[in-house]
Amino acid sequence: MGVSLKDIAERAGVSLATVSNVVNGYRPVGEVTRQRVQRAIDELGYTPNLSARHLRRGRTGLIALAVPELTNPYFAELADVAIREAAGLGYTLLMENTAAERGAELALLEGAQRHLIDGLILSPVAIGREEVLARRARMPLVLIGEGVYDVPYDRVAIDNVAASRTATAHLVALGRRRIAFVGAPPGGDRQSAHLRIRGYREALDAAGIPFDPGLVVPTEQFGRADGEHAMHHLLSLDHPPDAVLAYNDLTAIGALRTLARSGAGVPDDVAVAGIDDIEEGRFSNPTLTTVAPDKRAIGRSAVRRLVSRIEGEGGPPMHVQPSFHLIERESTGPAR
Amino acid sequence: MGVSLKDIAERAGVSLATVSNVVNGYRPVGEVTRQRVQRAIDELGYTPNLSARHLRRGRTGLIALAVPELTNPYFAELADVAIREAAGLGYTLLMENTAAERGAELALLEGAQRHLIDGLILSPVAIGREEVLARRARMPLVLIGEGVYDVPYDRVAIDNVAASRTATAHLVALGRRRIAFVGAPPGGDRQSAHLRIRGYREALDAAGIPFDPGLVVPTEQFGRADGEHAMHHLLSLDHPPDAVLAYNDLTAIGALRTLARSGAGVPDDVAVAGIDDIEEGRFSNPTLTTVAPDKRAIGRSAVRRLVSRIEGEGGPPMHVQPSFHLIERESTGPAR
DNA sequence: GGCGGTGTGTATAACGTTATAGATCCCCGG
DNA sequence: CCGGGGATCTATAACGTTATACACACCGCC
C-alpha cells in the first residue's frame, strides 16, 4: 500500500516517534535529524494516513454542512464559501442534503454521522426549537438561518425580520399599496418564513397600510415553480397586487415568469422583490431587486464557530448576525 | 467516548470477533448469540467507528466528485443525483471544487486526497489527455464530460458533437442563417467547447451555410457574465446574427440578458439556444431552448462505475454515453 | 472407533498514527 | 566528581476494527 511512517523511519534511520514529531511538531526535533527525515519524506512521497490519525486522535477533520436543498443557488453559493474557509482551517467540508425532511434533520442532529464528522452546521427548516433542545448528541453544532432560535448552540443568521421589513419598505416607498407576500409556509413550520412575514407586516403597519391576509400566499416549497403558481393565483384575484415580496429569490423568479407570460409589466404593473441575492437575479429579465445577506460572512462565521467549538472553545453560545443590504434592480426600478 | 465493540462484547458475554461478525456478517453466528448481541447493541446504541474500520479495511467509504464550479447549477444538479446514488451504495460523496484550475485538477489526479477518498470522479477542463495519461496514482478514477478522451479510464459523457449539431440544426430549421456560437475557449483548452463548435460547424455544413469565424465568440469563462459580454460584442457587429448557440445554458442566459436590455426581440430578432437544461432555463424570460443531457444517467453511471472499480472490478475502461434530447422553448419558439 | 467435515465461537495480530513514559547524552554548577 | 537538568531521541501502549488461525463440539460415515 502507501508509504507509512515506518518506511520513513527506516529510511531516515530514526524512530517512528521522531518522524511523527517532524510531521506534526508535537515535540521539538534536532535540526540535522529533521532535515534527514524531511528528505526521506520527500523522496518516498509520504502523506499521513488520515484514518489512522483520526482513530488515534478521536477526530476526523471532516465537518458537514447540511442544507435543505443542494440545488438552491443560495446554498450552493454558501457552500462554496464554507468549503474554502474549512480548507483554510485544515478541515474538509461535506455537503449533506436534508431535503427539508424532518427525519433527515433529526437524524443528523442526533449524530447520524457521528463517527464520520467532528461537527455539524445545520440549516434547520423542518424541525423546531423543542427538537433541538431535546438533542442528546454532544457533537458540536452550529445553526444557520433563523429556522430555530433561542437554543444553546452557536447560531449564524441575518435579522430576517429587518431584511424583510427593508424590502417591504422599499416597495412602499415606490408608492405601492397592495403588496403581496409569496411563500408563506403551508403547515406552520419554516420559522424563517414567519419572521419574513412579520417584517413585511411591520413595514405595512409603519406605512399605515392595512394588512390583507388574502395577499399572503402559502406555498408548498420555496422554489421557482412555487413562485410561479402563487403569482398565478394572485393575478386571478379581483384586485391583484401592485407589488410582490417573495420569501426568496427563487420564488421571486417564479413570480417574474408568470408575470412575463401574462403580459403584466414589471415593475410598471407589479413590482417584485426577493431575498438572497443569488446570481441568477442579476441576470433575470427584468433583473431582480433583492435583499443581499452577507453570504461570505455567514459561511465563514459558521465554519469558524464550529471549528472553535471542535477545538475545545467553551463559553456561552454565540449569536453572529451578519449584515444585509438592499439591492435595487429593474424589477422595482423606475418605470421605463 | 463512544460505545465500542468491546463494550458490546462484555455486555453480551461473547468475544469481540463474534460481535464483529454480527455487525457485518463476515461469518455466520448462531441464532441465540446473535440475538443477545443484537440486544446489547440496541441497548447501548452502538455504531461502528468508521476511522477504525477504514484503517483496518484500507478504505474510507468516501468518494469525491470534483467539478470546475460548485455554483454552476448544472453541477449542483449533477451532484444532487450523485450524492443519492453514492449513499445508496454505502458511500459518502465529497464535493471538490477545482475552480477550473490546472493545478487543482492535477493535484487531485495525482492523489491529493489519497488517504481520504477511495476514488475520484473528475470533470477535467484545464488539463488534457497527456496529463491524464501521465498519471501515476492508482486510485480508481472516472472522468465525466468530454474534457479528456481516449484515456484508459472509465468515462461518462454525452456526445457533445451530436448535441451541438442537434441544437444548431434546430436553429437552421427555423430559417436562421447567421448563427453565432458563444463560448469558444480563449486559449485552446476546454476540449468540450471544441467539440461543441465542431457539432455546430457540421450542422452548418449540412445546411450549406458558410462558416463565419467572426460569429464564433471566445469567452474567458462560461458563466452568465461571459454570455452577456459576448452577446454585446455580437450586437455591435455590422451584420449581427439572427441566432445564437451558447456553450451552455449559463452563457445563453447571459446572452438573453443583453438581448433584453438592448431591446432586441427573442426569438423574433435573435433565437437563442443553450446546452445543459438547468432549471433556471425553464423560468427565464423568455424560457430557454436547450439540449438536455440525461443528468440522472450521468450522475448514476459515474458513481456506479467508480464503485465497481473500487470494489475490484477489472476489465478494459468503459465509456458510458448517456442520451440527450432537444427541448424547444420560447427562446427559439414560433414568433409571437 | 477413527476420520473428515461443518457449524460455531475465541484469541490475536495487524492497520498507521500519536501521546506518554522513559532512555541517553552532554553541559553546568556546586 | 557528582547530581541535576535540558535537549533529543526511543520504545511502546493505546485508538477500534477486521481477518486469520485456531479450538471445540458434534455429526455422519466407512
Side-chain angles (χ1 to χ4, degrees), chain A residues 14-15 17-18 27 29-30 33 55-56:
Chain A
V14 297
S15 77
T18 300
R27 285 188 16 171
V29 175
T33 22
L55 170 60
R56 181 57 231 237

Side-chain angles (χ1 to χ4, degrees), chain A residues 178-184 200 212-219 226-247 251-252 254-256 258-259 262 264 270-272:
Chain A
R178 287 188 60 70
I179 304 174
F181 185 94
V182 162
Y200 157 78
D212 178 353
L215 290 181
V216 173
V217 189
T219 56
D226 302 285
E228 185 180 36
H229 299 144
M231 194 68 230
H232 212 264
H233 164 72
L234 284 171
L235 288 182
S236 74
L237 294 178
D238 288 341
H239 298 290
D242 57 10
V244 172
L245 173 62
Y247 170 76
T251 46
L256 286 182
T258 295
L259 288 165
S262 76
V270 184
V272 176

Side-chain angles (χ1 to χ4, degrees), chain A residues 71-92:
Chain A
T71 54
N72 183 325
Y74 174 75
F75 290 114
E77 292 172 18
L78 197 63
D80 203 27
V81 174
I83 286 178
R84 287 173 214 271
E85 183 71 16
L89 296 174
Y91 286 75
T92 301

Side-chain angles (χ1 to χ4, degrees), chain B residues 13-15 17-18 27 29-30 33 55-56:
Chain B
V14 296
S15 78
T18 300
R27 284 185 17 167
V29 175
T33 21
L55 171 59
R56 181 58 231 232

